[in-house]
Amino acid sequence: MIPNDVRITPELVAEHGLKPDEYQRILDLIGREPTLTELGIFSAMWNEHCSYKSSKKWLRTLPTKGPRVICGPGENAGVVDIGDGQAIIFKMESHNHPSYIEPHQGAATGVGGILRDVFTMGARPVAALNALRFGEPDHPRTRHIVSGVVAGIGGYGNSFGVPTIGGEVNFDPSYNGNCLVNAFAAGLADADKIFYSEAKGVGLPIVYLGSKTGRDGIHGATMASAEFGEDSEEKRPTVQIGDPFSEKLLLEACLELMASGAVIAIQDMGAAGLTCSAVEMGAKGNLGVELDLDKVPCREEGMTAYEMMLSESQERMLMVLDPAREKDAEAIFVKWGLDFAVIGKTTDDLRFRIKRHGDVMADLPIKELGDQAPEYDRPFVKAEKPKPLSPADAPAPNDLGEVLTRMLALPDMCSRRWVWEQYDHLIQGNTAIGPGGDAAVIRVENGPKGLAFSLDVTPRYCAADPQEGGKQAVAECWRNLTAVGAEPLAITDNLNFGNPEKPEIMGQFVGCIEGIGEACRALDFPVVSGNVSLYNETNGKGILPTPAIGGVGLLPDVSKRATVAFKAEGEAVIVIGETKGHLGQSVYLRDIAGIRDDASAPPPVDLAIERRNGDFVREEIRAGNLTAVHDVSDGGILVAAAEMAMAGGIGASLKPQTELPLHCWAFAEDQARYLVTLPDADAEGFLARAAKTGIAAMRLGATGGHELTVDGGVPISLAELKAAHEGWLPAYMAAGAEL
């Protein structure tokens, strides 16, 4: 009999995030009462964060295959072929709950965790991005959280030595008690040298690598699978502590060990720590695992089996090694100053067996722990399709220029320079387009190839119409990659939602998944990795549905790329795509007209038109015909034109040919649109090529001067626009961090 001196009560089961029926399932599986350690292991493996028990059914509907896909979902990260024997490995993951509790460490270890996911597969990280959502600026904790999260991301990424090159930042009251920190990382590897987590072979050594195990982060995954209440602050001990310098050593040691040929399988220790990594390796390989915890390197005295199995201490790896190469492997890790300890072996009995001080502390069926966790078909209610807003129902402003200036200074629309200047986006020396454009671009080693990256989602669209919002998130990501000249390859997603046990929330999730799937299929943009973060609620109030999409694109020649900035005076400004005046769910309606309870439909997404328009723009960029390109999204055409003008320090005179009210033309958020510039002499030829392809394209005006002029109206000063655009965030943060 396994010793167990702690009585398992219903209260203890509930504290471990397990429902009574789930606990009964455990009893039926093992035929006895679990030990405390076993209860902790089940809690770690069956929580939402690790098991995807509410989302599996729907995730399986997403397209995951394509001619370039080497490895899709199910591994540490997705792998995509980029030609010349090279692969890009990438993933995005949430660190939402920890970042609210302890912003600096929560965000930092989010970066550390996603970097490990990438180099676990044999890749050297080459780019990091992040998608951040904060509460309303006036909330007493928002400044503190923004400050801590940005410092944590910058501190870890900069110290590790990976360029943080892009992302997004937004504010909304729905995130007041539950910020979102979605970290993305990408790495390069040889396509024939990818490492996987599936253990192979019986009796092989299981090796613990990296930093010592401590008591930080215990129950971290369980905490991230539950709603917040008033006591969220008390969860601070569940937040992990990161050390980027140890991570850098771990990277170099792992890559050197991989190159030696000694590694059979490898898994990073992230959520649920030693438990999850060991179970996943064994279950994937149809093998059992036996661990002797006496051999685990610990930095704290007297740690119990329970604490060691559930610790989420950072900068750790688990490997299955070729026994003949054990000494060579150990020498590599000793050289890098890291712990190396054989802590167990693979077995042929499909059991997960844990020993401590000679006692068996856990003896469980490994498959049921890993890939046979509970799977729920949650009931859901889909929201009714909202009705489009008529252009006539959106109140007109008195002064177009005043509205544009106000809009560019909004928290959701202002410059993010204050954020990205804290990130090193130039380290490694391959950044071709840094933060502030449609997509970031890096050179692949010495070129000529380049890779483009973009993170996108518009939560207010997803809340109004989840399916259309899911489509739009993918389409905008695809459009942003296209706008720099890249061929979109694949996506990773980070699906952030409230409590899935509420049918309306589950309805949001299902709708967004359907929209994402539809867009990915239409655009040949498969999903290769991702993360689901549910229970993003505080005191029963959920966040806006936020299915963040991270896309990767390929440039055959990185020198043939486009940027946002106007390049010269006297060039033609042309809009590609139709403007029908869709102001439903727009920034204009919400923040300028003040209609925040808007129940209207977001702009519809026609995926065939998205593809046609985007393919045309990409061809024109690669042919060298366009001098500047910018996709039209939040805020509409006039905001896009202002961003291009501010980036280039050159104004423009615009004369829209439209029957729409001027504010509808200016601020509508119709999809599938791009603003482009090119030499005036080439404009007619360009418009003719567009017409031949069946693409709506119209000349809007010309670049020049230091002002924006619309339809002969009062000129809008670029200097004033830039001051408003650049001023809000630094002024807000300078007001002081409020706890």
Side-chain angles (χ1 to χ4, degrees):
M1 188 67 180
I2 304 177
N4 190 17
D5 52 4
V6 177
R7 189 168 149 265
I8 308 299
T9 63
E11 292 77 18
L12 192 60
V13 170
E15 283 174 16
H16 282 76
L18 293 163
K19 302 282 171 64
D21 61 323
E22 291 175 332
Y23 183 64
Q24 186 57 54
R25 181 169 176 160
I26 292 169
L27 295 177
D28 295 342
L29 273 174
I30 67 176
R32 57 174 172 79
E33 185 179 271
T35 67
L36 179 62
T37 302
E38 289 175 330
L39 184 69
I41 288 169
F42 270 109
S43 164
M45 293 303 300
W46 285 14
N47 64 57
E48 198 69 57
H49 191 82
C50 293
S51 74
Y52 299 100
K53 58 191 177 187
S54 299
S55 56
K56 271 182 192 172
K57 171 184 168 128
W58 298 102
L59 296 176
R60 292 191 189 104
T61 68
L62 294 171
T64 59
K65 294 183 169 43
R68 289 186 177 271
V69 177
I70 296 172
C71 176
E75 273 294 336
N76 287 292
V79 186
V80 176
D81 191 326
I82 60 169
D84 306 308
Q86 293 176 306
I88 185 73
I89 298 175
F90 61 97
K91 188 182 181 184
M92 183 161 49
E93 201 160 68
S94 65
H95 239 229
N96 306 337
H97 290 61
S99 299
Y100 183 79
I101 298 164
E102 213 297 294
H104 189 285
Q105 286 300 340
T109 52
V111 174
I114 200 65
L115 289 169
R116 277 196 307 284
D117 279 340
V118 165
F119 72 76
T120 293
M121 298 193 72
R124 181 172 291 280
V126 292
L129 296 89
N130 51 80
L132 310 177
R133 296 283 184 306
F134 301 109
E136 59 191 331
D138 291 340
H139 188 273
R141 272 185 60 85
T142 298
R143 237 186 234 98
H144 167 69
I145 293 171
V146 172
S147 177
V149 164
V150 171
I153 290 170
Y156 202 103
N158 298 351
S159 300
F160 178 83
V162 63
T164 303
I165 54 174
E168 52 178 4
V169 180
N170 286 103
F171 298 83
D172 188 87
S174 77
Y175 307 108
N176 279 348
N178 196 131
C179 60
L180 302 186
V181 175
N182 294 176
F184 171 104
L188 280 175
D190 292 340
D192 60 351
K193 294 185 178 72
I194 309 299
F195 289 82
Y196 299 99
S197 58
E198 180 186 328
K200 296 175 182 176
V202 176
L204 298 181
I206 295 173
V207 184
Y208 175 111
L209 307 163
S211 297
K212 289 179 169 59
T213 294
R215 290 188 172 94
D216 53 316
I218 293 172
H219 286 300
T222 307
M223 171 269 294
S225 304
E227 297 179 27
F228 277 160
E230 297 292 347
D231 62 346
S232 60
E233 285 291 301
E234 295 173 15
K235 298 179 183 284
R236 195 177 297 271
T238 63
V239 179
Q240 311 93 324
I241 307 297
D243 177 2
F245 302 104
S246 293
E247 180 110 332
K248 178 68 173 171
L249 296 173
L250 185 62
L251 163 74
E252 299 299 343
C254 284
L255 293 182
E256 186 174 339
L257 186 57
M258 289 165 169
S260 76
V263 179
I264 294 171
I266 181 168
Q267 177 78 28
D268 82 297
M269 289 194 229
L274 185 55
T275 293
C276 192
S277 55
V279 169
E280 285 188 3
M281 288 175 80
K284 284 180 180 176
N286 288 312
L287 295 168
V289 166
E290 188 173 294
L291 301 180
D292 181 353
L293 299 187
D294 295 350
K295 296 177 179 176
V296 172
C298 294
R299 69 167 190 264
E300 298 183 45
E301 292 182 7
M303 290 189 70
T304 64
Y306 179 94
E307 292 171 326
M308 293 166 76
M309 294 307 298
L310 296 188
S311 166
E312 295 185 11
S313 296
Q314 299 291 287
E315 294 84 42
R316 302 180 300 160
M317 293 280 192
L318 207 61
M319 286 188 185
V320 176
L321 288 183
D322 177 351
R325 308 294 303 275
E326 189 179 310
K327 291 298 177 190
D328 297 340
E330 184 175 9
I332 290 170
F333 269 75
V334 169
K335 180 183 77 173
W336 287 100
L338 296 166
D339 278 295
F340 177 102
V342 177
I343 65 167
K345 62 182 181 182
T346 57
T347 64
D348 62 358
D349 60 2
L350 289 175
R351 304 293 294 179
F352 186 51
R353 199 171 290 109
I354 308 298
K355 295 180 180 176
R356 179 69 163 154
H357 302 320
D359 293 325
V360 177
M361 306 303 293
D363 189 349
L364 299 169
I366 199 165
K367 297 288 282 186
E368 285 77 358
L369 271 173
D371 49 15
Q372 292 185 34
E375 185 174 330
Y376 297 124
D377 186 1
R378 302 272 191 205
F380 63 90
V381 175
K382 284 195 180 182
E384 291 185 18
K385 281 282 186 183
K387 294 178 180 172
L389 182 81
S390 165
D393 292 336
N398 294 322
D399 185 331
L400 211 64
E402 187 265 338
V403 167
L404 177 62
T405 307
R406 279 173 60 198
M407 193 174 281
L408 289 171
L410 291 169
D412 271 2
M413 300 294 288
C414 69
S415 167
R416 272 65 176 126
R417 184 184 300 275
W418 182 90
V419 173
W420 57 256
E421 282 188 343
Q422 297 184 56
Y423 304 153
D424 189 337
H425 56 276
L426 297 174
I427 196 167
Q428 298 188 8
N430 280 320
T431 303
I433 301 176
D438 286 326
V441 176
I442 62 167
R443 279 180 294 277
V444 176
E445 295 175 340
N446 296 319
K449 289 191 305 223
L451 288 164
F453 306 92
S454 180
L455 305 186
D456 297 282
V457 63
T458 309
R460 62 184 186 276
Y461 291 0
C462 297
D465 185 337
Q467 188 165 0
E468 209 64 26
K471 281 165 61 178
Q472 192 273 342
V474 174
E476 186 173 345
C477 184
W478 190 91
R479 207 160 55 234
N480 279 331
L481 296 173
T482 294
V484 299
E487 171 202 351
L489 299 180
I491 70 164
T492 182
D493 55 33
N494 204 147
L495 308 174
N496 307 276
F497 292 82
N499 184 345
E501 297 167 48
K502 297 177 180 176
E504 64 275 17
I505 301 290
M506 197 64 207
Q508 292 176 344
F509 182 86
V510 171
C512 285
I513 286 280
E514 288 174 344
I516 291 168
E518 186 184 345
C520 287
R521 280 184 283 273
L523 300 172
D524 290 328
F525 205 25
V527 182
V528 297
S529 61
N531 179 224
V532 178
S533 177
L534 304 178
Y535 297 94
N536 289 287
E537 299 203 353
T538 305
N539 296 329
K541 186 171 173 55
I543 63 164
L544 290 174
T546 312
I549 303 296
V552 176
L554 178 66
L555 293 94
D557 184 348
V558 75
S559 67
K560 293 178 179 175
R561 61 184 189 268
T563 58
V564 165
F566 287 157
K567 304 299 188 299
E569 302 209 2
E571 294 199 324
V573 181
I574 292 172
V575 61
I576 293 166
E578 284 191 89
T579 301
K580 296 180 179 180
H582 283 286
L583 280 170
Q585 302 301 325
S586 65
V587 172
Y588 175 84
L589 204 65
R590 184 189 69 183
D591 294 310
I592 303 300
I595 304 174
R596 287 188 166 265
D597 56 351
D598 175 30
S600 60
V605 179
D606 187 318
L607 294 165
I609 292 175
E610 284 283 1
R611 181 145 195 175
R612 186 182 67 195
N613 291 4
D615 288 349
F616 175 73
V617 168
R618 192 183 310 108
E619 287 170 10
E620 292 289 320
I621 292 171
R622 292 183 176 184
N625 297 333
L626 304 178
T627 53
V629 180
H630 191 14
D631 92 303
V632 180
S633 55
D634 283 351
I637 280 182
L638 197 53
V639 165
E643 288 171 342
M644 296 174 85
M646 289 187 295
I650 299 169
S653 179
L654 307 178
K655 295 181 179 178
Q657 300 170 43
T658 180
E659 295 179 359
L660 292 167
L662 199 55
H663 69 290
C664 294
W665 169 85
F667 303 119
E669 295 179 8
D670 302 86
Q671 301 293 293
R673 295 184 300 163
Y674 303 80
L675 273 188
V676 305
T677 60
L678 68 170
D680 188 72
D682 300 338
E684 289 306 316
F686 176 84
L687 291 168
R689 291 194 296 278
K692 189 176 178 181
T693 317
I695 287 170
M698 184 180 293
R699 181 160 181 161
L700 282 185
T703 61
H706 299 286
E707 297 165 324
L708 273 181
T709 308
V710 181
D711 203 25
V714 177
I716 309 164
S717 162
L718 279 195
E720 288 180 22
L721 288 178
K722 191 154 187 173
H725 187 56
E726 295 282 353
W728 184 84
L729 192 50
Y732 172 72
M733 295 308 299
E738 301 170 22
L739 296 174

